[in-house]
Amino acid sequence: MSETVQESCHVEHGYTPEKASYLRRLKLIEGQARGIARMVENDEYCIDILTQVAAVTSALKAVSLGLLEDHLEHCVADAARKGGPEADAKLEEAMQAIKRLVR
């Protein structure tokens, strides 16, 4: 039975050491998103809502870039050291993730 690209990454993910930090940031973002919904419910000024949307977008991008960096330093680097098809698959997976982030 062959390993999938995901299974070949260690049981501990690259973000694991920073998991608490990521969760804290994501909970803050969740609160910001709820705040935006309240702003819409309360018919607040469009520009104020858009400002908050931009803040949430920026915060999510920061989380995304951190997760990507952790993945590259951990899973992709490990696969690259091993070489072969696993390395190719991890690099392709990383490229697809980067493409999704820059859209």
Side-chain angles (χ1 to χ4, degrees), residues 15-83:
Y15 64 84
T16 300
E18 299 298 322
K19 185 176 180 178
S21 175
Y22 282 120
L23 287 171
R24 186 173 41 258
R25 291 165 73 186
L26 288 167
K27 286 178 184 183
L28 288 170
I29 292 166
E30 181 181 14
Q32 286 178 295
R34 278 197 224 99
I36 293 168
R38 278 191 303 274
M39 291 176 80
V40 172
E41 286 174 357
N42 296 333
D43 294 317
E44 293 196 27
Y45 187 54
C46 301
I47 297 302
D48 293 339
I49 296 169
L50 289 170
T51 298
Q52 292 306 308
V53 169
V56 169
T57 301
S58 178
L60 281 172
K61 282 183 183 180
V63 169
S64 297
L65 290 173
L67 288 167
L68 178 61
E69 182 177 3
D70 291 342
H71 182 66
L72 291 171
E73 290 175 352
H74 188 259
C75 297
V76 176
D78 285 351
R81 279 189 286 277
K82 292 176 187 173

Side-chain angles (χ1 to χ4, degrees), residues 13 20 35 68 86:
H13 299 288
L68 178 61
E86 180 183 344

